Amino acid sequence: MNHNEVAEIYEAYLSPLVSELYELEGYETNLINAHAGGRNVVYNCEKEGASAKILRIAFLNDRSRDDLLGEVEYIQYLFEHGGSVSNVISSRKGNLLEEITHNNHTFFVCLFEKARGKMLVENHYQYREGVPITEYYYNCGKVLGKLHQLSKGYAAVHRRYSFFDKYNVEYIDNLIPGTLPLVKEKMVELLKTLEGLDRNRESFGMVHFDYNDGNYSIDFDTGQITVYDFDNSCYCWYMFDLAGLWTHGVGWIQFEPDAGKRKKFMDNYFETVLEGYKSETRIENSILDKLPLFIQVTVMEGIVDAFEVMRNNGEEPECDEELSYLIKCLEDDIPYKGFFHEVFSCEEPFECEERNI
């Protein structure tokens, strides 16, 4: 079952049920275009005189009911404790998650408050007029630091899966094509290194696992960031989210031809992110020193995600220029996602010759 089929089923059969469950009578619901690799069918729900909502329908069978409950309960906890997140809305029955079966297929439905403001891409990557962009970098770190600080005190009712429940030798061996033996070998090496790291309360807990400007909105009047899409949230090292922030920061300087200037920018950018982060929570220098390791983990995650999307869409595995680039970085042990290495081209950022698999 794919995104379009689910949208058709929703509009033909499920819409009246969902409308009654969540009191959406009178709301205009519009399908939000799915991004590459999107796991859910999502609708924007608007009604004059009422706050906008986001309706999400999960249809893939790789997440259990308890996993999904673990996600929405975590979001509610973050919101109730001052985290800047889009809160989940209970149904008329008082449930954070509703389960609907149609033709023997189970759909999990939940409703969220729509975040104030808009995404950076919707603002053409322009920040607030007259305000230095460093405010944004600082706020990215600060909001994430608050979420991580709250996670350190979180006791789950329905516990989400942990990093190693998904990222393990068996899963990688089954997912990654056999024609990429070196990729598998490098991933196993990474996993062994991670297994040796401490997993104490200060370094390991519930993380967003996909913290980037596609998953939060900005109030351009105040600069406030509101986070959503915790669909990939899991137990992992907090450093993974910070490494993700590093890798998404490259977009501000990726067309600069001078690697030295790129390096200087990234150092300053990440220093500002960390200032914001440390204003809300502690992080040891010993784990910050592992930034290059966790950037490699984000590379591994990107490769795994690409093959998962192909699998979920029923497509034959293939490598485009972006996936081929990630594979090269992992196979050749190129640090910092190749951003300061000769493999990187400012004309075609994070792309290289297609790999034939």
Side-chain angles (χ1 to χ4, degrees):
M1 189 171 290
N2 62 36
H3 184 275
N4 290 340
E5 289 169 339
V6 175
E8 286 173 11
I9 290 168
Y10 172 76
E11 282 153 33
Y13 303 105
L14 306 184
S15 177
L17 284 170
V18 171
S19 182
E20 187 177 341
L21 275 170
Y22 287 101
E23 301 180 272
L24 293 175
E25 295 86 356
Y27 277 81
E28 184 180 338
T29 59
N30 293 302
L31 183 65
I32 297 173
N33 290 334
H35 62 273
R39 301 175 47 84
N40 307 295
V41 172
V42 183
Y43 287 88
N44 187 41
C45 308
E46 294 188 344
K47 179 181 175 181
E48 196 172 332
S51 61
K53 313 283 191 291
I54 297 292
L55 178 71
R56 189 186 81 184
I57 303 163
F59 63 92
L60 296 174
N61 60 9
D62 60 345
R63 297 266 165 87
S64 69
R65 180 177 179 275
D66 279 359
D67 258 339
L68 292 165
L69 274 173
E71 175 200 353
V72 290
E73 287 169 0
Y74 175 58
I75 292 168
Q76 186 180 64
Y77 165 84
L78 291 174
F79 181 83
E80 289 177 348
H81 290 80
S84 189
V85 302
S86 292
N87 196 22
V88 59
I89 300 168
S90 296
S91 70
R92 270 182 171 154
K93 296 178 180 178
N95 299 324
L96 298 179
L97 182 73
E98 287 289 351
E99 187 175 337
I100 300 174
T101 302
H102 174 79
N103 280 355
N104 297 319
H105 191 96
T106 299
F107 301 92
F108 291 102
V109 181
C110 43
L111 189 69
F112 302 91
E113 295 285 356
K114 186 174 183 180
R116 182 187 295 272
K118 54 187 176 181
M119 293 191 293
L120 261 179
V121 65
E122 294 171 320
N123 208 47
H124 312 292
Y125 283 97
Q126 300 298 307
Y127 192 54
R128 306 204 295 141
E129 196 172 340
V131 178
I133 190 70
T134 48
E135 178 192 85
Y136 167 66
Y137 305 156
Y138 183 91
N139 285 348
C140 282
K142 185 177 181 66
V143 168
L144 183 63
K146 176 73 169 181
L147 300 188
H148 287 177
Q149 180 60 29
L150 292 174
S151 285
K152 292 172 184 179
Y154 180 56
V157 178
H158 293 87
R159 190 176 172 86
R160 282 284 275 187
Y161 62 90
S162 189
F163 178 84
F164 290 111
D165 293 336
K166 174 174 177 178
Y167 295 89
N168 56 62
V169 175
E170 183 182 6
Y171 185 73
I172 283 166
D173 194 44
N174 289 332
L175 179 72
I176 307 296
T179 51
L180 295 171
L182 185 54
V183 171
K184 294 187 184 192
E185 186 183 311
K186 292 295 181 181
M187 287 184 177
V188 170
E189 282 177 18
L190 260 183
L191 292 175
K192 282 181 180 171
T193 302
L194 292 172
E195 282 168 0
L197 295 185
D198 202 352
R199 281 175 248 176
N200 61 45
R201 182 175 167 273
E202 288 296 313
S203 65
F204 191 94
M206 275 288 282
V207 302
H208 187 283
F209 210 75
D210 197 15
Y211 186 74
N212 65 73
D213 62 54
N215 288 331
Y216 50 71
S217 289
I218 303 166
D219 182 337
F220 284 91
D221 292 329
T222 65
Q224 181 61 45
I225 291 170
T226 304
V227 188
Y228 41 81
D229 197 355
F230 284 78
D231 195 40
N232 291 320
S233 59
C234 64
Y235 285 89
C236 186
W237 289 271
Y238 297 121
M239 196 63 207
F240 180 89
D241 277 352
L242 280 168
L245 256 187
W246 190 96
T247 62
H248 285 91
V250 299
W252 297 104
I253 195 72
Q254 65 183 1
F255 299 114
E256 166 58 55
D258 187 320
K261 290 179 180 176
R262 294 199 300 270
K263 175 78 165 61
K264 185 178 180 184
F265 174 89
M266 290 306 295
D267 288 347
N268 291 335
Y269 159 78
F270 201 60
E271 186 180 331
T272 307
V273 166
L274 285 176
E275 281 176 22
Y277 186 82
K278 289 176 177 178
S279 73
E280 294 288 349
T281 194
R282 285 177 65 246
I283 185 163
E284 298 289 343
N285 286 334
S286 58
I287 192 80
L288 280 175
D289 290 342
K290 295 195 166 44
L291 175 64
L293 169 66
F294 278 95
I295 290 172
Q296 283 296 77
V297 179
T298 70
V299 170
M300 175 177 74
E301 187 273 334
I303 296 169
V304 167
D305 182 68
F307 282 110
E308 282 181 340
V309 170
M310 287 180 257
R311 179 198 63 192
N312 291 343
N313 291 340
E315 299 166 356
E316 284 297 311
E318 61 178 8
C319 286
D320 61 12
E321 290 92 341
E322 291 181 5
L323 179 53
S324 299
Y325 181 92
L326 293 177
I327 287 171
K328 184 168 182 59
C329 286
L330 200 63
E331 286 186 336
D332 294 355
D333 298 316
I334 302 172
Y336 294 101
K337 205 176 175 183
F339 199 45
F340 315 125
H341 188 274
E342 61 187 16
V343 71
F344 180 80
S345 162
C346 63
E347 282 87 23
E348 295 178 322
F350 305 105
E351 293 184 4
C352 70
E353 189 178 341
E354 283 190 25
R355 178 77 167 267
N356 184 9
I357 59 166

